[in-house]
């Protein structure tokens, strides 16, 4: 018998065992030798037919491995053909731990088990304390030219800069709903040639507090109560209203939050603001003060309160889904970046308004917003965790030409944001993560630390040095280096105090209230009544009513009536202010691009008519959704929603091409046969669809049998309800109504 080495015997045993289970642990890999060619499906979206693609850019598609085409190449893309360890060693089995025999204990030496479990244990990073619930997208920013006020290169005319934008809610956890009443974050990372610039703003131009030292307090007050951890993602509770009624500087922002701005229709229809005043520097060193504004192409639109509540239940991802569906459909969201510019005077005020007070605005009628560039979001993330979750913003990420001011809220944020990233992302090297990496050359002399990815050369990470030839060298004036503006700091005592100009907490809240249309005021009254009605402590309600009395007696009286409490008298003189029409969302005409139009059909609907109107909706840049009693097709038409899976809240307008009868099993047995043939009976889910659209002031149109549905629903002839014989004619009459977003004339406001 041939003598064999022990290692050869072990190898034979291992090879035989591997052959027995190879069919279980070696799946086919697309493109691997001997495997079938991969099948690549055409990209689809939940919407079926889509609007025509815009010429600018193209929606991303997916490769068989899931990577997005058009995305920048990432060296560590995790796209290898074979399963490996994190170090690249190929694996034959990831389903069985290494044990001492089939029934024995697991061995400590199982390095693959330990690597796999350890990574899983650390798979989640701590969520953000605020802005945990977010959605992000890639895009491009094109400058219009702003050289007269700043030397920042990304604002120069025609300059294109890649960006990543993250939208978010402030109070809720990552698992909360998108459509809660809350302030929204609007944070933009510009990957400029001169370094990264982060514009970290909100969808409201003011904040609750004037000094960053109060930030933990307002967030502790707004978060769920610490004893019960409820309510989630809401301000309708005692601790929030206790804080803002005691810290009256919060009244202006609170009024914005109680307005329709607190429940945006979409990220695509949301304004953004830099909140703070910044200092801009031109090529000659001259300075001005400025505020940043994002203006959406589609206008500023909001959800109805009932819509927001329904959406929180039926689609808590509504805003995220809307953003990604729009991008993948080629209806790229767009905003213009604008500047309000003010003289850089020693007082740092404009028209009597303290520019360092983050609870104040400068009305656009006093300082018009000047467009300086356009933002287009045209690519969704390849991996949500790697990009949207790991992106790290910081107000101290500045570029030459943009500097900070002494706004005490801004000053605190300059520290807080870096400190937050150190905890959240595990160390100081978060800027080396791909989503945070600058697109400009880096040589920072920073070394080591957790998650260090750079392989530093040289032996002298300090300056000056002679061992590395003096490298890196400081930039001179010719290299357009960042320079802190040498603003004079006046000699003054060290104090914990605010300037006297910060003491006015009510005049701008009154300005906002008086700038609202009657319907917007009615919504504000309802919001205050609901939120304060959720408070259990009577003293908190009474104290907040006093704040409202100091803003406007009508506002106070209406809310007090809803609460069943007496309205107090003002304790300060009412401010004499001039309304700012720019603050109202109503009264203007906006493009209908990207709006969703539902088309209800039944088995008897004229499919030629429906197909014609569907094409016309699509050609107008809107998204048509065919809605029917069941999925699949109806008369050759592809159905995108059924009466069971669709709801009015995802529509901007509703068209009725038929009058679907109720399903036989929806009626009592004795009525099923008669009901299905009864011309006066319509599927109750269709009536609900119509009545919700009517109640939420949406445009409704009908032709043919659909006109009968309007009559049965009791909405025929109401404002914004269009009926006719021709589907094209109905659409032609309905489309202009969408330019105002909703038909508010349908419901005369009770608050003037």
């Amino acid at each position: 018998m041939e003598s064999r080495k022990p290692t050869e015997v072990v190898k034979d045993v291992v090879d035989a065992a591997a052959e027995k289970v190879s069919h279980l642990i070696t799946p086919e890999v697309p493109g691997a030798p001997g495997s079938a060619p991969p099948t690549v499906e055409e990209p689809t979206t939940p919407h079926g037919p889509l609007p025509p693609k815009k010429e600018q850019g193209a929606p991303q598609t997916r490769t068989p491995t899931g990577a997005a085409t058009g995305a920048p190449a990432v060296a560590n893309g995790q796209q290898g053909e074979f399963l490996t360890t994190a170090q690249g060693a190929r694996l034959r089995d990831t389903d069985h731990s290494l044990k001492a025999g089939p029934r024995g204990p697991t061995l400590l030496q199982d390095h693959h088990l330990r690597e796999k479990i350890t990574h899983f244990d650390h798979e989640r990073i701590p969520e953000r304390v605020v802005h945990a619930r977010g959605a992000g997208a890639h895009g491009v920013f094109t400058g219009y030219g702003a050289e007269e006020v700043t030397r920042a290169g990304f604002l120069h005319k025609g300059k294109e800069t890649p960006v990543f934008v993250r939208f978010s809610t402030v109070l809720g956890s990552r698992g909360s709903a998108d459509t809660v009443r809350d302030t929204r974050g609007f944070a933009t990372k510009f990957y400029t040639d001169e370094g990264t610039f982060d514009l970290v703003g909100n969808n409201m131009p003011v904040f609750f507090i004037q000094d960053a030292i109060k930030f933990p307090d307002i967030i502790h007050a707004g978060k769920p109560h610490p004893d019960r951890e409820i309510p989630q993602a809401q301000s309708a509770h005692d601790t929030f209203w206790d804080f803002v009624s005691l810290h009256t500087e919060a009244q202006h922002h609170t009024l914005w939050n109680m307005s329709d701005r607190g429940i945006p229709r979409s990220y695509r229809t949301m304004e953004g603001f830099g909140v703070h005043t910044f200092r801009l520097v031109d090529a000659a060193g001259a300075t001005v003060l400025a505020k940043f504004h994002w203006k959406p192409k589609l206008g500023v639109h909001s959800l109805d309160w009932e819509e927001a509540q329904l959406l929180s239940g039926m689609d808590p991802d509504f805003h995220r889904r809307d953003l990604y569906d729009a991008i993948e459909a080629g209806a790229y969201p767009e905003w213009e970046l604008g500047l309000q510019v003010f003289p850089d005077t020693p007082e740092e005020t404009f028209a009597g308004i303290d520019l360092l007070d983050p609870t104040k605005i400068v009305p656009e009628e006093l300082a018009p917003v000047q467009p300086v560039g356009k933002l287009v979001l045209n690519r969704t993330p390849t991996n949500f965790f790697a990009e949207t979750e790991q992106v790290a913003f910081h107000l101290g990420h500045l570029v030459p030409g943009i500097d900070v001011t002494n706004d005490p809220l801004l000053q605190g944020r300059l520290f807080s944001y870096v400190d937050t990233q150190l905890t959240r992302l595990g160390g100081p090297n978060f800027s080396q993560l791909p989503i945070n990496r600058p697109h400009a050359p880096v040589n920072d002399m920073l070394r080591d630390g957790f998650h260090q990815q750079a392989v530093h050369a040289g032996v002298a990470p300090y300056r000056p040095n002679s061992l590395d030839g003096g490298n890196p060298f400081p930039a001179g004036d010719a290299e357009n280096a960042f320079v802190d503006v040498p603003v004079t700091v006046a000699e003054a005592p060290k104090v914990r105090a605010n300037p006297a100009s910060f003491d006015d907490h009510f005049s701008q809240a009154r300005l906002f209230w008086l700038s609202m249309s009657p319907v917007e005021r009615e919504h504000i009254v309802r919001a205050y009544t609901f939120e304060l009605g959720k408070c259990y402590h009577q003293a908190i309600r009474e104290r907040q009513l006093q704040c409202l009395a100091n803003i406007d007696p009508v506002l106070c009286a209406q809310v007090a009536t809803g609460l069943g409490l007496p309205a107090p008298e003002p304790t300060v003189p009412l401010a004499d202010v001039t309304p700012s029409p720019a603050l109202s969302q109503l009264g203007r005409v906006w493009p209908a691009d990207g709006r969703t139009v539902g088309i209800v059909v039944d088995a008897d609907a004229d499919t030629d008519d429906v197909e014609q109107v569907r094409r016309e909706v699509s050609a107008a840049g809107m998204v048509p959704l065919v809605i029917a009693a069941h999925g699949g097709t109806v008369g050759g038409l592809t159905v995108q929603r059924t009466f069971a899976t669709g709801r009015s809240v995802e529509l901007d307008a509703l068209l009725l091409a038929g009058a679907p009868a109720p399903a036989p099993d929806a009626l009592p047995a004795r009525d099923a046969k008669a009901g299905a043939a009864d011309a006066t009976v319509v599927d109750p889910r269709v009536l609900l669809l119509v009545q919700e659209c009517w109640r939420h002031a949406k445009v409704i149109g009908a032709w043919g049998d659909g006109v009968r549905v309007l009559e049965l629903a009791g909405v025929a002839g109401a404002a914004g309800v269009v009926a006719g014989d021709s589907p094209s004619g109905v659409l032609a009459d309905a489309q202009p109504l969408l330019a105002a977003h909703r038909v508010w004339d349908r419901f005369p406001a009770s608050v003037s």
Side-chain angles (χ1 to χ4, degrees):
M1 184 173 180
E2 182 182 358
S3 175
R4 305 179 67 205
K5 296 180 180 180
T7 53
E8 294 175 332
V9 175
V10 171
K11 181 178 184 301
D12 286 349
V13 172
V14 171
D15 288 345
E19 183 175 355
K20 289 181 180 179
V21 298
S22 62
H23 66 289
L24 298 175
I25 64 175
T26 311
E28 282 191 345
V29 178
S35 64
T39 300
V40 183
E41 296 183 357
E42 290 296 320
T44 62
T45 76
H47 291 317
L50 298 171
K53 300 290 188 292
K54 296 186 179 181
E55 292 184 3
Q56 178 184 13
Q60 66 184 38
T61 57
R62 302 277 170 179
T63 67
T65 57
T69 62
V74 179
N76 189 21
Q78 295 279 321
Q79 301 299 328
E81 289 184 350
F82 298 97
L83 177 67
T84 72
T85 67
Q87 310 307 315
R90 295 182 182 180
L91 294 169
R92 304 181 71 166
D93 186 351
T94 190
D95 295 326
H96 306 91
S97 302
L98 187 65
K99 296 183 286 289
R103 297 174 60 83
T106 300
L107 300 178
L108 182 62
Q109 78 174 66
D110 191 346
H111 59 90
H112 174 49
L113 165 70
R114 285 185 286 112
E115 177 186 75
K116 186 175 181 180
I117 293 295
T118 298
H119 192 281
F120 170 79
D121 290 343
H122 297 266
E123 206 165 75
R124 297 290 179 267
I125 62 176
E127 73 174 27
R128 291 166 168 86
V129 177
V130 288
H131 299 279
R133 174 72 179 181
H138 296 271
V140 62
F141 177 83
T142 305
Y144 292 166
E147 291 87 338
E148 66 276 12
V149 292
T150 177
R151 63 177 181 169
F154 74 96
L155 293 176
H156 289 185
K157 187 174 183 179
K159 178 66 175 178
E160 292 190 351
T161 301
V163 300
F164 186 81
V165 177
R166 188 177 187 273
F167 305 104
S168 56
T169 53
V170 172
L171 290 178
S173 68
R174 283 191 63 198
S176 58
D178 279 347
T179 58
V180 296
R181 182 182 294 280
D182 198 359
T183 303
R184 263 73 181 174
F186 193 136
T188 308
K189 187 176 287 291
F190 297 83
Y191 302 97
T192 86
D193 298 339
E194 301 171 302
T196 299
F197 172 58
D198 286 348
L199 181 56
V200 194
N202 290 332
N203 72 321
M204 300 177 188
V206 291
F207 202 61
F208 290 104
I209 54 175
Q210 296 168 323
D211 193 309
I213 200 170
K214 291 186 181 182
F215 192 77
D217 303 317
I218 179 60
I219 298 305
H220 289 166
K223 286 284 190 177
H225 288 210
D227 53 349
R228 300 184 179 187
E229 187 61 16
I230 54 175
Q232 175 61 239
Q234 296 181 53
S235 56
H237 55 92
D238 288 76
T239 56
F240 174 81
W241 288 101
D242 186 39
F243 182 91
V244 300
S245 62
L246 290 168
H247 296 264
T248 52
E249 68 202 70
Q251 291 298 313
H252 189 194
H253 189 168
T254 303
L255 194 55
W256 277 77
N257 234 28
M258 294 303 104
S259 77
D260 291 344
R261 303 280 186 145
I263 41 176
R265 159 63 178 82
S266 163
Y267 293 136
R268 298 179 291 133
T269 61
M270 192 175 80
E271 267 186 305
F273 302 90
V275 179
H276 306 289
T277 299
F278 291 83
R279 182 169 273 108
L280 305 184
V281 189
D282 68 12
T287 62
V288 294
L289 301 178
K291 287 182 176 288
F292 290 94
H293 296 248
W294 289 111
K295 299 287 188 182
K297 174 189 175 184
L298 301 180
V300 185
H301 309 300
S302 298
L303 292 168
D304 178 85
W305 175 234
E306 185 186 46
E307 277 186 297
Q309 292 176 301
L310 290 171
L311 279 165
S312 290
M314 68 165 288
D315 188 2
D317 306 305
F318 179 71
H319 284 155
R320 181 181 298 186
R321 192 184 314 280
D322 174 86
L323 175 68
Y324 294 152
D325 282 351
I327 292 173
E328 292 183 359
Y332 301 134
E334 295 183 15
W335 291 261
E336 279 194 317
L337 179 64
L339 294 175
Q340 279 184 304
V341 178
F342 320 102
D344 188 0
T345 63
E347 297 78 19
E348 296 173 312
T349 63
F350 182 81
I353 301 166
D354 193 328
L355 297 175
L356 300 188
D357 184 349
T359 68
K360 303 290 195 302
I361 65 167
V362 177
E364 294 182 26
E365 291 77 13
L366 298 179
V369 176
Q370 306 170 35
V372 294
K374 181 175 72 172
L375 167 68
V376 179
L377 298 182
N378 56 17
R379 183 164 61 85
T380 59
T382 300
N383 182 277
F384 191 92
F385 178 86
E387 298 166 277
T388 306
E389 188 60 26
Q390 290 195 130
V391 67
F393 295 96
H394 175 36
L395 282 87
H397 294 165
L398 301 164
V399 291
I402 303 176
D403 202 357
V404 299
T405 60
N406 291 338
D407 173 342
L409 180 62
L410 172 57
Q411 291 284 312
R413 291 177 78 193
L414 290 171
F415 167 79
S416 178
Y417 277 59
V418 146
D419 192 49
T420 293
Q421 310 305 354
L422 290 174
T423 298
R424 205 173 63 81
L425 297 175
N429 293 310
F430 57 85
S431 63
Q432 296 182 22
L433 294 168
I435 191 63
N436 296 321
R437 250 174 234 163
H439 289 202
V442 174
N443 193 343
D444 53 23
M445 292 197 301
L446 305 177
R447 292 294 186 270
D448 307 338
F450 284 114
H451 312 139
Q452 178 60 253
Q453 299 175 48
V455 180
H456 294 101
V459 296
Y462 53 85
R463 290 206 78 264
N465 71 72
S466 60
L467 298 180
D468 285 342
N471 185 269
F473 304 101
D477 293 340
E479 286 81 19
N480 197 27
F482 181 87
V483 177
D484 296 283
V485 178
V487 177
T488 300
V489 178
E491 292 186 10
K494 295 179 180 179
V495 295
R496 293 187 181 273
N498 280 334
S501 57
F502 279 38
D503 293 341
D504 174 15
H505 298 165
F506 299 110
S507 66
Q508 289 219 333
R510 179 168 173 77
L511 165 68
F512 183 82
W513 167 259
L514 294 178
S515 301
M516 296 295 100
S517 66
V519 67
E520 289 171 305
R521 293 185 192 179
E522 186 170 44
H523 292 170
I524 290 171
V525 168
R526 290 178 183 174
Y528 272 112
T529 305
F530 173 84
E531 298 251 333
L532 293 172
K534 291 287 188 177
C535 294
Y536 292 100
H537 291 83
Q538 187 79 346
I540 293 174
R541 298 181 187 181
E542 293 173 351
R543 194 164 57 239
Q544 180 58 36
L545 282 175
Q546 185 61 68
C547 293
L548 297 184
N550 292 343
I551 295 170
D552 187 86
V554 173
L555 169 61
C556 179
Q558 294 276 344
V559 176
T561 298
L563 296 174
L565 296 174
E569 294 296 321
T571 58
V572 298
L574 295 177
D576 183 14
V577 296
T578 302
S580 170
L583 296 177
S584 173
Q585 296 181 200
L586 306 186
R588 281 167 282 182
V589 173
W590 303 104
D593 299 27
R595 301 301 178 87
T596 303
V597 179
I599 308 172
V600 173
V601 301
D602 60 17
D604 299 323
D606 187 321
T607 55
D608 291 338
D609 282 352
V610 175
E611 181 58 29
Q612 176 186 346
V613 78
R614 193 198 65 75
R615 285 196 302 267
E616 291 175 358
V617 169
S618 183
M622 299 182 287
V623 179
L625 294 180
V626 174
I627 308 173
H630 58 78
T633 60
V634 173
L637 294 167
T638 300
V639 176
Q640 281 88 42
R641 296 290 187 276
T642 70
F643 302 151
T645 63
R647 196 72 183 264
S648 68
V649 286
E650 62 178 318
L651 307 175
D652 294 295
L654 179 67
L655 301 179
L656 299 160
D665 58 1
L667 296 170
R670 65 181 182 275
D671 299 330
K673 185 174 181 181
D678 189 343
T680 65
V681 178
V682 172
D683 192 308
R685 295 171 295 182
V686 176
L687 294 179
L688 176 64
L689 196 66
V690 174
Q691 289 163 349
E692 282 184 347
C693 285
W694 177 82
R695 195 164 64 245
H696 300 154
K698 294 178 179 177
V699 179
I700 305 172
W703 63 88
D705 287 344
V707 176
R708 180 159 51 86
V709 180
L710 301 180
E711 297 167 353
L712 294 174
V715 304
V721 178
V722 181
D725 298 324
S726 161
S728 295
V730 169
L731 180 61
D733 291 338
Q735 192 169 340
L737 298 173
L738 279 169
H741 186 57
R742 296 184 194 265
V743 187
W744 293 120
D745 292 346
R746 189 178 295 164
F747 306 108
S750 59
V751 181
S752 60

